[in-house]
Amino acid sequence: MQEICYNCYKIKNMDWIERASLCPILSGVTPDTLLKLFGQLQFQIKQYRKDEVMAVQGDEVNRMLILLEGSVRGEMTDYAGHVIKIEDVTAPKPLAAAFLFGSENRFPVDVVANESVKVLIIYRGEFLKLLRMSETIQMNYLNLVGSKAQFLSKKIKFLSFKTIKG
């Protein structure tokens, strides 16, 4: 894992803000406005290599992770050691956004880089500041979490049918 200092990165390369602005949580906010908002926050940009584990199932979700480049996979390992791929996530998307708050805020899966990836990391307290600074970002986040809850509710309803006819 390579950590990039924000101030050094800002001077060398500003395209991260363009990529970040495409994330559903940050959509509807111009890159210039995002740059001003992020100028008031502490955050990191980290790079991970292919097959590097970014998070382990059960780890606390204490930061918003926004995938800027590349893709990752969510995996679960059963008791026999078999790995089951749950989902692939491609940039520019958030990772485990619905787990940032709540009493059981733990990663539900291992998160592994499929390729070289770049991730924007905003710790919970700083993300709360961001939500207070922008109503658009606040609504985007609430819509994302609400949509995820609705999707899971429909999935549970679907899985509760016992027969194909049902």
Side-chain angles (χ1 to χ4, degrees), residues 67-156:
L67 197 57
L68 296 175
E69 292 178 12
S71 70
V72 300
R73 64 187 177 273
E75 299 178 336
M76 285 186 168
T77 306
D78 67 13
Y79 294 109
H82 300 104
V83 176
I84 304 160
K85 183 171 90 169
I86 304 299
E87 179 183 25
D88 280 311
V89 179
T90 58
K93 295 244 174 60
L95 304 176
F99 292 91
L100 186 59
F101 300 100
S103 59
E104 293 294 322
N105 58 331
R106 306 257 172 222
F107 279 95
V109 296
D110 295 334
V111 179
V112 182
N114 286 329
E115 58 195 298
S116 177
V117 297
K118 201 173 283 181
V119 181
L120 171 63
I121 300 169
I122 313 164
Y123 281 87
R124 186 184 297 123
E126 294 297 299
F127 186 67
L128 280 169
K129 275 202 261 186
L130 181 61
L131 293 176
R132 286 191 295 268
M133 290 189 291
S134 170
E135 189 174 315
T136 300
I137 294 172
Q138 184 181 80
M139 287 306 300
N140 289 345
Y141 178 72
L142 291 171
N143 281 327
L144 181 117
V145 171
S147 294
K148 190 68 87 171
Q150 292 164 4
F151 167 78
L152 292 173
S153 176
K154 287 177 186 174
K155 192 163 197 146
I156 289 168

Side-chain angles (χ1 to χ4, degrees), residues 4-14 16 35 39 43:
I4 300 172
C5 162
Y6 164 67
N7 290 329
C8 304
Y9 196 73
K10 184 171 113 171
I11 293 165
K12 293 179 187 174
N13 187 339
M14 286 307 300
W16 70 269
L35 198 54
F43 63 93

